[in-house]
């Protein structure tokens, strides 16, 4: 039973606190109340159909209401919806662990489940920390985590500590544990005194210097491989990830790859690390894991790290961490069905085809007087709006230009969600080309509209 739409609107305003949302403005915006999904479309209570241009916040893979995934969930639903992994096991979570080990970079043999990207990262940090305390030759002073400037790894206190997005994180400063940050190798606005090349050289030098000088106290290096999503789709230069891996290997620093956003086909390979032949010590996945259907996450690691947690119970080497819904059977069933579709439908081929197509379609924006940069890796696209193209001067935040583009797109039945003044396109990996065209048409028109107002 569903309340009539005007009542839903009223109750939304009365009771619901939306994430990452200025709630005072939200009241006046009458956001669509989504009632159902059909393929790559979202349908609201008024019967409007919207193209889902952001994969329901970067997680949807094969579309909505996909018969094969729905059937897998229903099949599991008829057996059991939830049972714990504390003291018990369950078939879907076992089979999924096996499937993940088979598909992730070789050497990641152990799977620890949780239910969101933030928990997957939180677990990675705690595993890395505890590993140094318990490994064969313990290094108890290894307690410092290294992260990149503008990193985003989730919203729990631990993941905010390794996060570096001022707008989101500044207020919690005094609550966080100390971390070390290295510059992010991206060049839209190089600091004064640098050109693009000299800035890149500086980034590599700073990386090496920070790691070498602090090597004995570093617990782990966490990175979003290839693309820093929430920072505004910042694409790293080719070879950066590989260099990070070489250095961390050399210095005995575990590398944590946060593939929460880039995993499951987003960048053109099933996992982004593959593109630089990198084996991380710990890999975090979430968003696309269940096809974007249900809250499910996993943290994978090597035998080397896992073995440090083995011993007799009284030796207290156990990883005392777990979430109630860890390894939820419905989520695992959805994930297994999603992985099957990846192969049956050659989703990666579709990603690579559409990535090229989008690059061609958006090329026209490069000349646009209010587009500073179009950044793209696979099906992650960020279009940065600027007031002035000559010096990439940003618009005043109060103009909410990115938001204006989103509103213009919504009027044309496309759902977008910007990151500040970066327009993000994150079409589902399985979206067909004709819908990609529709998405590009509306985005180009909406940018034009919002920047000429
Ligand atoms: C979204 C995201 C997270 C957090 O995932 P949640 O499921 O929202 O907790 C962590 N890391 C990266 C790179 C992300 O994009």
């Amino acid at each position: 039973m569903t309340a009539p739409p005007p009542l839903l609107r009223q109750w939304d305003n009365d009771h619901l606190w939306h994430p990452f949302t200025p709630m005072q403005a939200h009241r006046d915006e009458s956001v669509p109340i989504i009632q159902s999904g059909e393929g790559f479309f979202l349908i609201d209570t008024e019967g409007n159909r919207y193209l889902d241009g952001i994969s329901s916040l970067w997680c949807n893979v094969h579309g909505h209401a996909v018969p094969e995934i729905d059937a897998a969930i229903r099949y599991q639903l008829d057996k059991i919806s939830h049972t714990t992994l504390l003291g018990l096991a369950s078939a879907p979570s076992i089979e999924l662990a096996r499937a993940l080990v088979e598909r992730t970079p070789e050497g990641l043999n152990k799977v620890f489940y949780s239910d969101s990207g933030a928990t997957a990262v939180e677990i990675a940090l705690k595993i890395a920390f505890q590993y140094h305390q318990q490994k064969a030759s313990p290094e108890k002073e290894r307690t410092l985590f290294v992260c990149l400037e503008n990193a985003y790894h989730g919203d729990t206190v631990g993941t905010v500590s390794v996060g570096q997005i001022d707008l989101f994180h500044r207020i919690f400063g005094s609550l966080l544990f100390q971390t070390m940050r290295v510059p992010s190798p991206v060049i839209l606005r190089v600091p004064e005194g640098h050109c693009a090349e000299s800035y890149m050289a500086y980034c590599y030098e700073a990386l090496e210097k920070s790691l070498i000088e602090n090597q004995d106290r570093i617990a782990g290096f966490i990175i979003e491989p290839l693309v820093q999503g929430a920072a505004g789709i910042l694409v790293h230069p080719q070879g950066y990830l590989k260099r990070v891996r070489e250095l961390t290997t050399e210095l005995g620093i575990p590398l944590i790859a946060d593939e929460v956003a880039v995993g499951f086909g987003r960048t053109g390979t099933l996992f982004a690390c593959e593109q630089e032949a990198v084996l991380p010590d710990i890999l975090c996945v979430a968003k696309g894991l269940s096809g974007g259907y249900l809250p499910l996450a996993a943290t994978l690691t090597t035998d080397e790290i896992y073995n440090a947690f083995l011993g007799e119970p009284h030796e207290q080497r156990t990883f005392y961490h777990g979430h109630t819904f860890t390894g939820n059977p419905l989520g695992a069933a959805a994930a297994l069905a999603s992985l099957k579709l990846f192969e049956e439908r050659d989703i990666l081929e579709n990603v690579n085809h559409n990535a090229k197509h989008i690059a061609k379609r958006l090329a026209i924006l490069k000349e646009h007087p209010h587009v500073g940069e179009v950044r793209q890796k696979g099906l992650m696209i960020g279009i940065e709006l600027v007031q002035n193209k000559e010096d990439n001067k940003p618009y005043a935040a109060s103009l909410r230009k990115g938001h204006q583009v989103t509103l213009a797109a919504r009027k044309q039945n496309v759902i977008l969600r910007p990151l500040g003044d970066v327009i993000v396109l994150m079409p589902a990996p399985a979206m067909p080309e004709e819908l990609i065209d529709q998405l590009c048409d509306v985005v180009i028109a909406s940018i034009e509209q919002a920047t000429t107002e």
Side-chain angles (χ1 to χ4, degrees), residues 305-317:
I305 289 184
Y306 175 79
N307 288 342
F309 293 79
L310 300 181
E312 296 299 322
H314 70 267
E315 292 178 65
Q316 305 219 339
R317 301 164 76 86

Side-chain angles (χ1 to χ4, degrees), residues 70-345:
D70 290 1
I73 296 171
R74 282 200 191 96
Y75 178 83
Q76 183 58 40
L77 192 60
D78 286 338
K79 293 176 179 284
I80 190 166
S81 296
H82 184 65
T83 167
T84 183
L85 292 188
L86 279 69
L88 296 172
S90 63
S93 61
I94 296 170
E95 285 176 33
L96 180 60
R98 173 84 185 171
L100 288 174
V101 167
E102 282 171 351
R103 286 166 180 78
T104 47
E106 199 177 332
L108 298 167
N109 289 333
K110 305 293 174 185
V111 180
F112 195 103
Y113 288 113
S114 61
D115 27 46
S116 74
T119 54
V121 172
E122 195 86 28
I123 287 161
L125 298 172
K126 287 177 73 179
I127 287 177
F129 184 93
Q130 191 172 342
Y131 163 69
H132 296 296
Q133 312 287 312
Q134 300 184 171
K135 62 190 181 186
S137 314
E139 292 179 282
K140 301 209 170 177
E141 58 300 333
R142 281 197 186 264
T143 58
L144 180 68
F145 284 94
V146 184
C147 52
L148 265 70
E149 227 167 45
N150 294 308
Y152 178 80
H153 297 290
D155 296 326
T156 58
V157 171
T159 56
V160 167
S161 295
V162 291
Q164 296 286 345
I165 297 186
D166 218 38
L167 175 67
F168 306 163
H169 301 155
R170 187 182 37 215
I171 190 158
F172 300 110
S174 60
L175 205 57
L176 309 178
F177 58 77
Q178 199 212 332
T179 52
M180 188 171 79
R181 76 177 169 178
V182 296
S184 184
V186 290
I187 50 165
L188 177 62
R189 297 185 182 88
V190 298
E192 216 157 311
H194 275 297
C195 64
E197 289 81 42
S198 74
Y199 181 66
M200 210 45 69
Y202 160 77
C203 288
Y204 277 93
E205 271 166 38
L207 168 73
E208 289 168 23
K209 194 162 173 279
S210 314
L211 295 192
I212 289 168
E213 280 176 5
N214 297 282
Q215 52 178 291
D216 297 335
R217 52 188 203 108
I218 296 175
F221 187 115
I222 182 163
I223 186 169
E224 297 161 79
L226 306 188
V227 187
Q228 291 183 243
I233 316 296
L234 305 182
V235 180
H236 291 169
Q238 202 187 343
Y240 183 78
L241 179 65
K242 191 152 194 78
R243 183 69 192 124
V244 167
R245 177 69 284 190
E246 284 166 5
L247 273 167
T248 49
T249 301
E250 213 174 286
L251 302 171
I253 299 168
L255 178 64
I256 302 169
D258 175 357
E259 292 226 17
V260 170
V262 294
F264 299 99
R266 271 279 152 220
T267 68
T269 44
L270 197 56
F271 298 99
C273 283
E274 291 170 39
Q275 294 188 32
E276 306 215 341
V278 158
L279 168 64
D281 299 282
I282 304 180
L283 176 78
C284 306
V285 292
K287 293 191 168 97
L289 169 57
S290 64
Y293 256 61
L294 288 163
L296 183 71
T299 307
L300 286 91
T301 193
T302 58
D303 293 330
E304 156 73 22
I305 289 184
Y306 175 79
N307 288 342
F309 293 79
L310 300 181
E312 296 299 322
H314 70 267
E315 292 178 65
Q316 305 219 339
R317 301 164 76 86
T318 303
F319 186 48
Y320 286 111
H321 186 113
H323 301 276
T324 304
F325 291 104
T326 290
N328 175 263
L330 293 176
L336 283 163
S338 168
L339 287 174
K340 196 153 166 252
L341 291 180
F342 256 101
E343 279 136 43
E344 283 173 7
R345 297 185 178 168

Side-chain angles (χ1 to χ4, degrees), residues 343-391:
E343 279 136 43
E344 283 173 7
R345 297 185 178 168
D346 204 350
I347 301 299
L348 295 178
E349 161 61 27
N350 194 60
V351 170
N352 289 307
H353 172 83
N354 280 337
K356 281 191 211 115
H357 187 63
I358 291 177
K360 262 187 249 152
R361 289 294 322 271
L362 297 184
I364 185 176
L365 287 176
K366 292 196 175 137
E367 308 308 321
H368 195 284
H370 295 292
V371 172
E373 195 174 44
V374 179
R375 299 185 282 268
Q376 182 182 1
K377 186 83 196 173
L379 292 183
M380 302 177 84
I381 299 101
I383 304 164
E384 178 140 358
L385 305 178
V386 292
Q387 177 156 28
N388 185 340
K389 200 178 173 70
E390 270 61 62
D391 56 1

Side-chain angles (χ1 to χ4, degrees), residues 40 51-64 233 261 263-267 347 350-351 354-355 357-359 362 376-382 414-416 423-433 435-440 443:
F40 303 92
L51 182 62
D52 183 355
I54 49 161
S55 299
S56 290
L57 223 76
W58 311 9
C59 61
N60 186 269
V61 177
H62 306 284
H64 301 280
I233 316 296
F264 299 99
R266 271 279 152 220
T267 68
I347 301 299
N350 194 60
V351 170
N354 280 337
H357 187 63
I358 291 177
L362 297 184
Q376 182 182 1
K377 186 83 196 173
L379 292 183
M380 302 177 84
I381 299 101
V414 167
I415 298 294
L416 299 177
I423 307 305
V424 176
L425 307 192
M426 195 73 71
M431 189 180 276
E433 188 186 294
L435 296 184
I436 295 276
D437 273 326
Q438 185 184 337
L439 176 62
C440 292
V443 165

